[in-house]
Amino acid sequence: MTPIITLAKKELRGLLYSPGGYIFSGLMAGLAIWLFSNDLFLLGQADVSPLVSTMSYLLTLFVPAVAMGIIAEEKKNGTWENLMTWPVSEWQIVAGKFLGYGVFLILSLGLIVPIMASLVMLGFSEIGLLFSNFLMLVLLSWCFLGVTLVASSLSSQPMVALAGSIIFLLVNSLLGNGSITSRLDPNIQNVLTQLSLSWRAQRLGSGLIELGNLWFLLTFLLGCLIVTTLIIKSRNK
Amino acid sequence: MMELELIGLTKVFGAKKAVDQVSLVIELKGVVGLLGPNGAGKTTLMRMITGYLNPSEGEIRLNNEKVDTRVTSYKSIIGYLPENNPLYTNLTVGEFLVMAAEIKGLKNAKTEVLKVASECGLDQVLGQKIETMSRGYKQRVGLAGAIMGSPKLLILDEPTSGLDPNQIVEIRKLIEKLAKKRGVILSTHILPEAKQVCSRLLIISQGKIVMDAETRDVKNLEKKFVDLTSK
């Protein structure tokens, strides 16, 4: 476990000591508050669902922006060669990096807790629902991080990883958008919707924990970590 | 005495053979100099020995046993300083060395860091950020990271490249000191340096070893180097 924890600490330290992490987190929280406030005053209703919907889209941009260099930056700087020749296995590198960034995402999402608290003050009484939505956002951001890990392992250019992840995540989000897929055959539409991470996550955040959705997101995340490990192994051949 | 044996090691990138059927036995003592012009295959050969690259053909044996260079037990006997010495420059020297020690699975990481820092002359700069250091000191940090965990074989890819004459002398002395406890494979362009530091010299050209000799037996190295590599 030690190499994983050590790598996670290195990644977390890098994010906490650099202005980039704070800028992106602040920007995400600021946009979330602004967009949510607009919805709140427009609807005149203390409801968590507009916040969750807004956050799903913001995370699509925010997570790849923060994590695009997770592997690509190391390749670009040459430190990857050091890391790969130290006695640490590929899966430990992937796990350590994921853990460091994963903790940072929890801390960043903590910035929207005041918005959730303000909902409670405005009369929203379902604390359990708020909690499940927060957990859902954490899980969704981890899945997005998994996608960014895969993209970052495929390139030594962080911007390429950023573009690749955002395109994948936006297309994946659109699959769950009924107004986009409505012209398709209902069976195909249903299959495409089921593949959408955001749609699955929003179902989880509705307060009803469906194991199928939970398993889908967890399996997707695990799949991304395994694929990244395999890419790293195959790329050095 | 441990020995590393390379048998028919070959690395192909597309249509180009970067390393072509290299077979060698390297005893893990003294300094072996790997000389060759740019693009001769020095770095690729070193990367295969470190496990960073898999050979296209051939195998590596350690004490007569075939090894998988990707496993951590093999990697722990190798210390490697890549060309251009890539470092995590946002860390302090101490943080970098503690990280290297922990990743290498050392139990008393802090004690090991102090020992290695003292060996490499870094004990006074442990709290300094790597990005603020001179090139010579950065090279010491890279070397300290490479010898962390007391590897049996140290592989140094052009460790004096880009340094000023004083720094070259300092790093050369440090390499000679480190070589007393372990084997060293050193790639360099500087022929006088190779003659001074190395006990054995290998010249590689177009991916093939074209000379393998004890340094004391080599007369007029410069001429030999030009003759063997300018084809």
Side-chain angles (χ1 to χ4, degrees):
Chain A
M1 278 304 275
T2 311
I4 296 174
I5 302 293
T6 304
L7 282 170
K9 279 195 292 187
K10 176 193 85 79
E11 298 299 343
L12 190 58
R13 190 190 291 132
L15 288 163
L16 294 177
Y17 286 3
S18 77
Y22 291 99
I23 291 169
F24 283 116
S25 301
L27 206 61
M28 181 193 72
L31 276 170
I33 290 168
W34 179 58
L35 293 169
F36 174 66
S37 303
N38 280 350
D39 282 343
L40 183 73
F41 292 116
L42 203 67
L43 297 171
Q45 210 174 348
D47 186 9
V48 73
S49 56
L51 174 66
V52 169
S53 169
T54 303
M55 283 304 297
S56 300
Y57 280 103
L58 287 179
L59 287 173
T60 303
L61 304 173
F62 166 76
V63 176
V66 167
M68 60 182 168
I70 189 166
I71 290 174
E73 193 72 34
E74 295 235 27
K75 287 183 181 170
K76 194 176 157 195
N77 295 338
T79 47
W80 188 244
E81 197 171 345
N82 259 339
L83 198 53
M84 292 296 290
T85 51
W86 282 348
V88 55
S89 59
E90 289 86 353
W91 76 264
Q92 286 175 317
I93 293 173
V94 172
K97 283 182 169 290
F98 175 80
L99 191 60
Y101 275 77
V103 170
F104 179 76
L105 288 177
I106 294 176
L107 296 176
S108 298
L109 285 169
L111 293 173
I112 63 159
V113 168
I115 310 177
M116 292 183 157
S118 69
L119 277 175
V120 175
M121 287 165 69
L122 288 169
F124 189 79
S125 57
E126 295 178 70
I127 307 291
L129 188 59
L130 283 179
F131 187 68
S132 72
N133 271 290
F134 185 77
L135 286 184
M136 177 277 288
L137 285 175
V138 169
L139 190 53
L140 187 63
S141 69
W142 284 358
C143 286
F144 290 0
L145 177 59
V147 170
T148 313
L149 251 172
V150 173
S152 198
S153 67
L154 285 167
S155 171
S156 55
Q157 295 301 323
M159 291 308 286
V160 175
L162 174 71
S165 324
I166 288 180
I167 290 169
F168 178 89
L169 292 174
L170 281 177
V171 170
N172 186 270
S173 282
L174 293 177
L175 295 180
N177 188 330
S179 56
I180 303 282
T181 54
S182 58
R183 289 185 183 179
L184 298 170
D185 177 84
N187 289 328
I188 296 173
Q189 186 188 3
N190 186 38
V191 170
L192 292 179
T193 304
Q194 303 267 336
L195 291 172
S196 167
L197 295 168
S198 301
W199 180 83
R200 293 271 186 179
Q202 282 175 27
R203 300 266 297 176
L204 269 185
S206 66
L208 186 68
I209 305 287
E210 291 176 48
L211 280 181
N213 293 325
L214 190 62
W215 278 121
F216 180 86
L217 293 176
L218 288 174
T219 308
F220 182 87
L221 175 57
L222 188 65
C224 286
L225 299 182
I226 291 170
V227 168
T228 307
T229 307
L230 293 175
I231 290 170
I232 292 173
K233 281 189 173 188
S234 66
R235 286 257 151 167
N236 286 351
K237 278 184 180 170
Chain B
M1 176 61 59
M2 288 176 87
E3 62 177 35
L4 195 72
E5 190 177 4
L6 317 181
I7 304 170
L9 224 51
T10 300
K11 184 70 190 177
V12 181
F13 293 116
K16 187 179 186 283
K17 268 190 181 172
V19 172
D20 189 3
Q21 293 290 326
V22 168
S23 295
L24 285 172
V25 177
I26 300 167
E27 283 191 352
L28 304 193
K29 66 166 191 181
V31 184
V32 176
L34 187 58
L35 313 175
N38 287 333
K42 302 187 294 291
T43 298
T44 306
L45 181 60
M46 288 179 147
R47 283 178 169 172
M48 282 193 285
I49 298 173
T50 61
Y52 183 67
L53 287 176
N54 268 356
S56 308
E57 279 175 41
E59 61 183 51
I60 295 180
R61 289 174 170 265
L62 183 67
N63 290 337
N64 278 325
E65 278 187 39
K66 187 182 173 185
V67 287
D68 177 356
T69 55
R70 309 292 291 273
V71 299
T72 53
S73 57
Y74 172 79
K75 286 178 179 176
S76 63
I77 69 149
I78 305 276
Y80 179 44
L81 179 71
E83 195 179 0
N84 302 322
N85 187 21
L87 294 167
Y88 297 104
T89 51
N90 60 329
L91 301 181
T92 65
V93 175
E95 286 169 345
F96 174 74
L97 294 179
V98 168
M99 184 181 85
E102 287 180 355
I103 288 181
K104 291 185 178 191
L106 305 183
K107 283 185 181 146
N108 298 314
K110 288 199 174 145
T111 315
E112 286 295 321
V113 166
L114 292 175
K115 198 177 92 184
V116 165
S118 161
E119 205 169 352
C120 294
L122 293 167
D123 29 10
Q124 300 300 314
V125 293
L126 283 171
Q128 193 175 337
K129 277 227 166 164
I130 296 172
E131 64 192 355
T132 65
M133 305 185 100
S134 70
R135 218 166 159 155
Y137 262 94
K138 282 182 184 164
Q139 212 67 1
R140 284 170 183 266
V141 176
L143 277 168
I147 63 165
M148 187 66 73
S150 306
K152 299 276 185 279
L153 177 63
L154 191 57
I155 298 179
L156 310 175
D157 196 353
E158 302 196 17
T160 55
S161 152
L163 300 181
D164 70 34
N166 291 335
Q167 291 169 335
I168 288 177
V169 172
E170 281 175 18
I171 293 298
R172 203 180 284 164
K173 279 183 186 164
L174 182 56
I175 292 168
E176 285 175 317
K177 186 173 139 191
L178 298 177
K180 287 177 183 159
K181 293 184 186 169
R182 55 185 68 81
V184 175
I185 300 177
L186 163 83
S187 84
T188 180
H189 281 115
I190 309 167
L191 302 183
E193 174 177 89
K195 269 202 313 203
Q196 189 187 332
V197 178
C198 306
S199 52
R200 179 182 170 193
L201 296 173
L202 305 169
I203 296 180
I204 184 168
S205 178
Q206 295 176 352
K208 291 185 172 166
I209 298 290
V210 291
M211 189 194 90
D212 180 358
E214 296 293 313
T215 309
R216 60 174 178 269
D217 300 333
V218 179
K219 306 282 181 258
N220 204 347
L221 178 62
E222 288 76 8
K223 186 177 179 305
K224 264 206 169 101
F225 182 86
V226 172
D227 288 347
L228 292 168
T229 61
S230 59
K231 284 170 192 171

